[in-house]
Amino acid sequence: MSYPVIVVSMTAAPLRKDAARNWHRIVEVGRRLVEEGTPIQLNDVARAAEVGVATVYRHFPTPEALVEAIAVPGLEAQVARAEEALAGDDPWVSLRDFLYAAVEAQITDPSLPPVFASAESALPRTAELKERLVGMFGQLLERAHAAGVADPAVTTADLVPLMCGVMFAATVHPAPSAPDRVATARRYLTVLLDGLRTR
């Protein structure tokens, strides 16, 4: 099996094939643990990935760094979704659909909520992606304000905790399946957006 070249940060050199193989094994074990809801212990990850403990710590010095690496594809997908929304013609539809996609991603990808909830980032790539997302979210809201379709008194700083409230409300009494939780989150988000929209 061949492995793609992995770059661990924006400035790091590409990993050798053996190191890339170990990186993938560690991340896959970590992903499985996150999906199971099992707290990550790096020693346990090393055992399950059949690599040395030092190898795990060399790639991921903390459990948070491993969770962030797992979350990167989801963060990149959200950035791509935000770019697509900014290219849309209708400011309200763009904002609404981006927020729908955001709540769905956080419910279906368990690595995303802890990364978004953390004030500090362990990896430069995570920090960069989160900063880009916040910036593009602000641009989407500004476009909606400029078009007169969103309450100008509501800011990005207001919407971020409100979105967290939607996520909490959708998961505090978990539905039996992810699609049900997504539907619940969308319903609560629709209520929030109805309050935001001006007519």
Side-chain angles (χ1 to χ4, degrees):
M1 177 182 297
S2 62
Y3 292 86
V5 170
I6 301 298
V7 178
V8 295
S9 75
M10 297 302 289
T11 57
L15 297 177
R16 301 187 316 271
K17 285 185 178 180
D18 58 336
R21 181 175 61 251
N22 288 337
W23 188 96
H24 277 278
R25 292 170 71 174
I26 294 164
V27 169
E28 287 307 309
V29 168
R31 189 186 311 280
R32 186 175 71 246
L33 293 174
V34 168
E35 290 174 352
E36 293 172 352
T38 303
I40 287 183
Q41 302 291 333
L42 296 183
N43 287 9
D44 295 339
V45 171
R47 190 177 307 111
E50 299 181 344
V51 299
V53 172
T55 298
V56 174
Y57 278 87
R58 185 162 55 248
H59 287 295
F60 305 105
T62 65
E64 291 77 15
L66 176 52
V67 173
E68 288 184 17
I70 296 164
V72 162
L75 292 171
E76 290 174 339
Q78 286 297 291
V79 167
R81 184 66 187 82
E83 291 172 341
E84 179 183 330
L86 284 169
D89 295 328
D90 187 318
W92 177 256
V93 170
S94 294
L95 175 63
R96 180 199 66 194
D97 289 353
F98 170 72
L99 293 179
Y100 279 149
V103 297
E104 180 173 353
Q106 291 209 50
I107 286 176
T108 56
D109 184 344
S111 70
L112 290 177
V115 171
F116 280 118
S118 177
E120 301 292 333
S121 297
L123 303 178
R125 178 62 173 161
T126 312
E128 177 204 359
L129 291 169
K130 288 171 66 176
E131 184 177 352
R132 288 181 64 190
L133 271 174
V134 171
M136 288 188 285
F137 178 31
Q139 292 177 53
L140 287 166
L141 183 57
E142 288 171 6
R143 289 179 67 209
H145 284 157
V149 294
D151 185 345
V154 179
T155 67
T156 305
D158 297 321
L159 274 182
V160 169
L162 288 172
M163 290 289 294
C164 292
V166 166
M167 294 299 303
F168 177 78
T171 56
V172 66
H173 298 297
S177 67
D180 292 331
R181 290 192 292 275
V182 169
T184 298
R186 286 177 66 93
R187 186 166 68 252
Y188 293 160
L189 180 56
T190 298
V191 174
L192 171 63
L193 291 172
D194 282 346
L196 171 66
R197 189 171 188 179
T198 57
R199 295 175 175 81

